[in-house]
């Protein structure tokens, strides 16, 4: 519109209006507008109440970064608030922004190497915000990989876990039979089979996975002390998966 006449400017301005502003324009009396300056003055006078009030620049001093607020969110909030203040002073905004950010590597870098211009401040803050967001996503990915465990993985016996079974923890069937004897017990009783001999002399035997199971029903007695004593005497057995049959290597 540069260099256009006032008549073209007024008609072009009408093309940008809508709703209430357009209704106001069409209600103007004929020949009441002689120049575009008259149109601008009447327009601003009529819609003066709709112009948002500008906030004082001192409000930026209260805009501090929250204790858990990401730098990206704080930077967006700072920019949005900066557009609503009156007479925004870019030079004075540099120390205010530096003071309002939370302590950490970003604040330390700004103190040690204070940016010379407001544009340089926003550029450096944006780069720190991107790095901060990338680090947050990386930590979430690593935490997710640590939390993934197999089905019933929390019940599988790990090396060094489990308590030794004393005489009071040995389970017996109602018929009086005992659980299968271990390899060392079979050796004492001279009951080792050929399969057991091969397994006992394996240089690196495969570690068996064990799931501890509590046997018992809704019992325990009528008093709290009886129920506590009953719970302490529960047998913790072992469910052991039999190793796969070893195939000879050629």
């Amino acid at each position: 519109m540069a260099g256009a006449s006032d008549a073209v400017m007024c008609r072009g301005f009408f093309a940008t209006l809508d709703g209430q502003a357009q209704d106001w324009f069409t209600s103007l009396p004929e020949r009441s507008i002689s120049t575009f300056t008259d149109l601008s003055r009447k327009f601003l006078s009529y819609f003066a109440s709709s112009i948002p009030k500008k906030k004082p620049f001192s409000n930026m001093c209260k805009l501090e970064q929250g204790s858990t607020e990401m730098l990206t969110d704080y930077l967006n909030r700072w920019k949005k608030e900066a557009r609503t203040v009156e007479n925004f002073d870019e030079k004075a905004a540099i120390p205010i922004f530096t003071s309002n950010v939370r302590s950490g590597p970003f604040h330390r870098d700004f103190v040690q190497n204070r940016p010379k211009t407001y544009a340089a401040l926003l550029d450096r803050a944006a780069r720190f915000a991107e790095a901060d967001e990338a680090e947050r996503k990386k930590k979430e990915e690593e935490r997710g990989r640590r939390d993934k465990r197999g089905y019933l993985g929390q019940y599988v016996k790990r090396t060094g876990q489990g308590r030794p079974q004393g005489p009071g923890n040995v389970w017996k069937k109602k018929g009086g039979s005992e659980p299968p004897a271990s390899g060392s017990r079979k050796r004492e009783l001279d009951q080792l089979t050929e399969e057991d001999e091969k397994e006992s002399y394996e240089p690196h035997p495969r570690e068996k996975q064990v799931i501890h199971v509590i046997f018992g029903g809704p019992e325990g007695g009528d008093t709290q002390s009886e129920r506590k004593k009953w719970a302490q005497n529960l047998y913790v057995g072992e469910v052991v998966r039999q190793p796969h049959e070893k195939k000879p290597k050629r």
Side-chain angles (χ1 to χ4, degrees):
M1 302 285 293
S5 63
D6 281 3
V8 175
M9 293 281 286
C10 291
R11 292 181 181 275
F13 181 72
F14 171 73
T16 66
L17 302 180
D18 191 13
Q20 186 180 358
Q22 192 178 83
D23 295 340
W24 169 83
F25 189 93
T26 56
S27 66
L28 292 174
E30 293 185 5
R31 300 183 182 277
S32 62
I33 303 297
S34 57
T35 63
F36 184 73
T37 303
D38 294 339
L39 177 63
S40 302
R41 184 170 55 253
K42 289 186 177 182
F43 180 82
L44 293 175
S45 177
Y46 185 84
F47 291 101
S49 60
S50 300
I51 300 176
K53 300 292 183 180
K54 288 285 187 177
K55 302 177 183 178
F57 178 73
S58 59
N59 280 18
M60 302 301 295
C61 298
K62 305 176 183 178
L63 195 67
E64 298 180 351
Q65 184 182 9
S67 58
T68 59
E69 186 178 18
M70 297 292 296
L71 182 57
T72 304
D73 300 331
Y74 176 68
L75 185 60
N76 293 333
R77 190 160 61 94
W78 171 274
K79 291 180 179 179
K80 183 178 180 181
E81 190 69 16
R83 292 192 292 266
T84 64
V85 300
E86 189 176 13
N87 300 325
F88 185 84
D89 189 347
E90 294 186 352
K91 187 175 181 180
I94 296 176
I96 294 177
F97 184 88
T98 305
S99 176
N100 287 359
V101 294
R102 194 171 59 245
S103 61
F106 176 67
H107 176 265
R108 183 167 55 253
D109 180 78
F110 263 52
V111 173
Q112 295 175 349
N113 307 289
R114 179 164 296 184
K116 297 180 180 180
T117 63
Y118 182 70
L121 178 144
L122 295 181
D123 179 68
R124 194 189 304 180
R127 287 187 281 109
F128 266 93
E130 292 177 359
D132 196 20
E133 183 68 16
E135 184 178 3
R136 182 187 65 84
K137 292 182 179 180
K138 182 66 174 178
K139 288 182 178 180
E140 289 182 354
E141 293 176 358
E142 293 175 352
R143 189 182 303 113
R145 288 195 295 266
R146 289 196 303 267
D147 293 343
K148 285 182 180 179
R149 302 185 68 182
Y151 182 65
L152 292 180
Q154 63 269 35
Y155 300 112
V156 176
K157 182 179 180 181
R158 300 297 193 272
T159 304
Q161 290 185 350
R163 60 180 183 181
Q165 293 186 356
N169 293 326
V170 178
W171 170 69
K172 294 183 179 181
K173 295 183 179 179
K174 291 183 178 180
S177 59
E178 296 183 359
S182 61
S184 58
R185 181 60 178 164
K186 286 182 177 181
R187 188 176 291 104
E188 294 176 3
L189 300 176
D190 198 19
Q191 296 178 355
L192 281 178
T193 62
E194 184 179 357
E195 184 73 15
D196 294 331
E197 287 288 348
K198 291 180 179 180
E199 182 177 349
S200 60
Y201 288 101
E202 186 177 354
H204 300 287
R206 182 182 301 176
E207 183 179 357
K208 299 178 181 179
Q209 294 181 332
V210 179
I211 298 179
H212 294 284
V213 180
I214 297 178
F215 291 87
E219 303 177 5
D222 298 330
T223 64
Q224 183 178 0
S225 59
E226 292 178 354
R227 288 192 295 268
K228 185 176 181 181
K229 182 178 179 182
W230 171 79
Q232 292 175 347
N233 292 331
L234 285 178
Y235 167 73
V236 179
E238 293 185 352
V239 180
V240 182
R241 178 179 62 81
Q242 295 297 333
H244 296 290
E245 181 179 357
K246 299 179 177 62
K247 296 182 179 181
K249 295 182 180 180
R250 296 182 178 180

